[in-house]
Amino acid sequence: MLKSIAIMTSGGDSPGMNAAARAVVRTALYEGVKVFGIYDGYKGMLEDRIVELNSQSVSDIIQRGGTFLGTARCPEFKQEETRKEALKILQRHGIEGLVIIGGDGSLTGGSLLSDLGMPIVGLPGTIDNDVWGSDYTIGADTALNTILDAINKLRDTASAHRRIIVLEVMGRKCGWLAMMAGIAGGAEYVLVPEVKYDLNKICDELKTSYDNGRRYSIVVVAEGVGSAVDIGKEIGEKTGIDTRVTVLGHVQRGGSPTAEDRVKASMLGEKAALALLNGQSNIVFGINEGKVVAIDLHDSVNNNKTLDPELVRLARVLSK
Ligand SMILES: Nc1ncnc2c1ncn2[C@@H]1O[C@H](COP(=O)(O)OP(=O)(O)OP(=O)(O)O)[C@@H](O)[C@H]1O
Ligand SMILES: O=P(O)(O)OC[C@H]1O[C@](O)(CO)[C@@H](O)[C@@H]1O
Ligand SMILES: [Mg+2]
């Protein structure tokens, strides 16, 4: 069994990262293993901001969004020389393995660090739900609920004014958040990067529906499609219907994690720690059909997740 491991969070924060880190720390301590916390992702690793954690270090965090370890984007980590420096720093602390909680980019960094000889176990922590091999990423459920809350409120004002509301949501190149929010929020249209759309046709349909008495429409736009401001302007001009745009932004990243995110993050954290301690590495733990699964780390970062066509069909059928 390993004697000393470390944990870090990296990339965009996501609600539930704290629950996952807490589970890693407490599992390792339960097994009598030393755990270090690396602050602010790869940036803090390179600056040697590495501190030993105890059980109390992770008290009172399970209910909090963000990450108590801090996070960062660190473009320098893409250079091999920088990663070699990072490896030396980890080795100086006697760190024998590392749990990385982050999105596809952070896990890519982890897979390259593992190529240099550091055992790595990844956990998918991102609101984008774009990590290949897992149906689920830590934080996506909380973000989805935040978006739904916004849609409910936007629907009230849209209906009062007989307006079209165009709502831009996050997700980078992945349309999962937009598609799920569209289905759960009853949006009339969902524009995602994975599916082609015809804005002229959408505008014609919107016009006809308002001519027939419709009072409001919600159009959810995934950020990967382009600017909702531009799309909203075009819709307003082409339909002649009063149109407003909301770009939800970073509010989607914050907030207390949902029960689903806390429980799944805790399950994943325990599995990650146990696997690493017992000599497994270069894997990502994810969740498929409600069960924790191990995915090869290199496979995960070398493949692109696709949007379930069933979800696309469902959104289309239910909005008619
Ligand atoms: N190709 C790469 N090689 C080495 N390191 C990388 C690579 N891609 C990303 N990283 C490291 O991981 C960090 C986070 O990556 P990125 O900004 O893509 O976020 P992420 O982990 O995908 O999370 P999210 O998309 O949710 O914000 C980068 O700043 C960089 O330090
Ligand atoms: O916080 P930043 O650096 O502005 O990054 C925003 C990006 O991070 C995410 O919130 C998470 O990947 C994306 O959905 C979004 O495009
Ligand atoms: Mg990412």
Side-chain angles (χ1 to χ4, degrees), residues 103-105 126 128 130 172:
D104 55 343
T126 171
D128 298 341
D130 58 353
R172 289 196 195 274

Side-chain angles (χ1 to χ4, degrees), residues 116-308:
L116 298 178
M118 175 57 60
I120 302 286
V121 173
L123 290 181
T126 171
I127 67 163
D128 298 341
N129 202 356
D130 58 353
V131 174
W132 187 90
S134 178
D135 288 345
Y136 166 83
T137 61
I138 297 163
D141 184 63
T142 306
L144 178 56
N145 280 290
T146 301
I147 298 169
L148 271 185
D149 184 46
I151 291 180
N152 292 340
K153 288 171 177 161
L154 290 166
R155 193 197 283 267
D156 290 344
T157 178
S159 171
H161 284 265
R162 264 201 114 192
R163 280 174 173 160
I164 297 170
I165 296 275
V166 180
L167 171 67
E168 181 180 310
V169 304
M170 283 184 166
R172 289 196 195 274
K173 291 180 183 154
C174 176
W176 186 88
L177 271 178
M179 193 52 73
M180 293 296 279
I183 292 169
E188 277 60 48
Y189 294 95
V190 185
L191 311 187
V192 292
E194 295 89 341
V195 182
K196 275 198 185 137
Y197 63 90
D198 178 346
L199 202 58
N200 288 325
K201 186 163 169 274
I202 290 173
C203 289
D204 288 345
E205 288 173 6
L206 280 167
K207 218 176 150 332
T208 306
S209 69
Y210 275 68
D211 288 345
N212 291 335
R214 185 160 195 93
R215 289 204 60 88
Y216 70 90
S217 285
I218 306 284
V219 181
V220 180
V221 176
E223 66 174 347
V225 159
S227 160
V229 173
D230 297 341
I231 292 171
K233 190 163 175 278
E234 203 174 328
I235 290 177
E237 282 167 6
K238 285 192 170 144
T239 59
I241 300 164
D242 207 11
T243 301
R244 293 289 185 276
V245 175
T246 296
V247 179
L248 209 47
H250 289 79
V251 73
Q252 293 163 96
R253 285 242 296 267
S256 181
T258 57
E260 177 177 351
D261 278 331
R262 294 184 202 195
V263 172
K264 287 186 171 158
S266 300
M267 287 162 65
L268 290 168
E270 189 215 17
K271 285 280 194 270
L274 286 178
L276 190 61
L277 298 183
N278 288 304
Q280 280 181 273
S281 65
N282 307 326
I283 46 178
V284 180
F285 281 102
I287 294 196
N288 283 332
E289 293 169 4
K291 296 263 183 282
V292 176
V293 291
I295 307 136
D296 180 85
L297 176 60
H298 289 84
D299 285 351
S300 180
V301 300
N302 288 321
N303 285 287
N304 286 323
K305 193 162 172 178
T306 51
L307 198 56
D308 182 354

Side-chain angles (χ1 to χ4, degrees), residues 90-106:
L90 296 176
Q91 286 169 339
R92 267 207 304 272
H93 285 275
I95 292 166
E96 299 167 317
L98 172 63
V99 176
I100 298 171
I101 309 172
D104 55 343
S106 302

Side-chain angles (χ1 to χ4, degrees), residues 7-65:
I7 167 109
M8 64 181 256
T9 50
S10 169
D13 61 299
S14 67
M17 279 183 162
N18 279 328
R22 171 180 175 270
V24 171
V25 171
R26 295 238 164 121
T27 304
L29 293 175
Y30 186 83
E31 298 293 330
V33 170
K34 226 185 217 190
V35 201
F36 289 92
I38 301 173
Y39 288 96
D40 295 337
Y42 294 118
K43 186 169 184 287
M45 185 188 287
L46 290 165
E47 292 166 0
D48 199 355
R49 286 191 282 117
I50 301 176
V51 173
E52 191 177 340
L53 302 174
N54 58 32
S55 184
Q56 232 187 323
S57 315
V58 290
S59 293
D60 197 24
I61 63 168
I62 195 165
Q63 77 284 17
R64 296 184 203 282

